Amino acid sequence: MFRLAAPVVVRIARTLAYESDARREIAVARWLESESYPAVRVLDISQPLVVDGRVVTFWESLGDGEQFGTTTEVARLLGRLHALTAPAELGLAPLEPFARAERRIAASEWLTPADRSFLSARLAELKVSYAQLQFALPAGVIHGDASVGNVIRDVNGQPVLIDLDGFAIGPREWDLVVTAMYFDSFGWHTEQEYAEFARVYGFDVLRWPGYPVLRDVREFLMVTWLSQKAGHDEQAAAEVAKRIAALRTGGSKRDWLPY
């Protein structure tokens, strides 16, 4: 992401593999604007663009700084989002939890053969566990990566949802588990912050029997996502190595750093 001189933010995807995601993200942004939903707005131009093998999109800047929302605001935004019904022409696909994980494991030149073998085997286990889940909430529109990091205050101080490329039709628990594990696994939220999140949304995913499986899936995906940066970022490489070790041993994740 780059902030331009004009009040515009440009997002550049790594490869053409993200072109369909970018097209969906643009369509979602325009739909949310038509619903007056508080999400980041896309520029009114024909996009995405493909330049030198990369996918480029342009967005209205929310302001000069980055002030994240609260867990309460995330809960309110999710409650409002989950109440929406996406029009058929939007063409939202069913959630594919593991699609990018497979691609990222296969494409990584940084992972050792042992790490790649371990992650591939763990991925196979998680696929089986996920397929057996019985969700408590009805499926519908989901953000895909709903956390305080994807809620930014605009110039008027109002919380706005960003990063719309993960929108899909899927279990609402998928959106709720992120805040739960940020509290439960990593200690990034306090007990009070999580309790308020659950109260405002109206459902406590920590009490749902399928939570441990969904938590394990999301933690695994956090590792494969960050592995993309490991080849050119020493700090990210150290963090990925630490995370893989925790997955191998079942050890504490309290020392995982947010990215």
Side-chain angles (χ1 to χ4, degrees):
M1 294 181 64
F2 299 89
R3 191 184 304 277
L4 305 184
V8 172
V9 170
V10 58
R11 298 184 67 183
I12 304 176
R14 290 179 177 84
T15 70
L16 287 177
Y18 292 92
E19 185 175 3
S20 61
D21 293 342
R23 293 191 183 282
R24 180 179 64 246
E25 187 176 20
I26 295 297
V28 165
R30 289 175 173 152
W31 167 58
L32 292 177
E33 184 173 9
S34 74
E35 295 281 349
S36 299
Y37 181 89
V40 63
R41 303 303 186 209
V42 66
L43 291 196
D44 188 19
I45 60 174
S46 179
Q47 52 175 320
L49 304 180
V50 175
V51 182
D52 291 336
R54 297 179 184 270
V55 184
V56 184
T57 55
F58 297 89
W59 303 82
E60 293 181 7
S61 174
L62 294 174
D64 294 332
E66 252 189 11
Q67 184 181 2
F68 297 114
T70 65
T71 56
T72 300
E73 289 166 339
V74 174
R76 288 197 184 107
L77 287 174
L78 282 180
R80 185 170 170 183
L81 176 68
H82 291 172
L84 295 177
T85 300
E89 58 268 24
L90 192 59
L92 286 182
L95 175 70
E96 296 183 45
F98 305 103
R100 292 184 180 181
E102 292 177 294
R103 186 167 70 203
R104 287 164 178 167
I105 294 170
S108 175
E109 297 179 355
W110 177 85
L111 291 170
T112 67
D115 286 341
R116 183 175 287 106
S117 177
F118 165 73
L119 291 175
S120 296
R122 181 62 177 146
L123 176 59
E125 294 172 356
L126 289 171
K127 283 184 175 181
V128 172
S129 297
Y130 181 87
Q132 296 173 346
L133 285 175
Q134 295 184 349
F135 294 99
L137 300 176
V141 176
I142 58 173
H143 176 270
D145 191 23
S147 70
V148 292
N150 281 330
V151 173
I152 302 291
R153 296 189 188 281
D154 63 16
V155 292
N156 299 314
Q158 298 301 308
V160 172
L161 193 65
I162 66 170
D163 282 3
L164 312 180
D165 58 312
F167 263 65
I169 300 298
R172 269 52 184 264
E173 291 89 343
W174 186 259
D175 277 347
L176 302 179
V177 75
V178 179
T179 300
M181 71 182 193
Y182 279 13
F183 157 65
D184 179 48
S185 294
F186 312 131
W188 296 347
H189 296 315
T190 66
E191 184 174 0
Q192 181 177 354
E193 286 171 336
Y194 178 72
E196 187 66 5
F197 171 85
R199 184 191 68 78
V200 170
Y201 184 84
F203 181 81
D204 186 352
V205 74
L206 281 175
R207 297 179 179 273
W208 170 56
Y211 165 74
V213 170
L214 212 55
R215 175 202 61 206
D216 289 351
V217 170
R218 299 295 309 230
E219 290 175 356
F220 178 85
L221 296 178
M222 288 174 66
V223 175
T224 57
W225 172 80
L226 190 57
S227 69
Q228 299 174 107
K229 301 177 182 288
H232 57 269
D233 185 323
E234 290 185 4
Q235 184 176 352
E239 181 68 19
V240 174
K242 178 175 66 182
R243 292 183 179 188
I244 291 176
L247 294 185
R248 284 182 183 277
T249 63
S252 172
K253 285 99 177 175
R254 290 278 166 162
D255 60 349
W256 286 23
L257 300 175
Y259 270 80

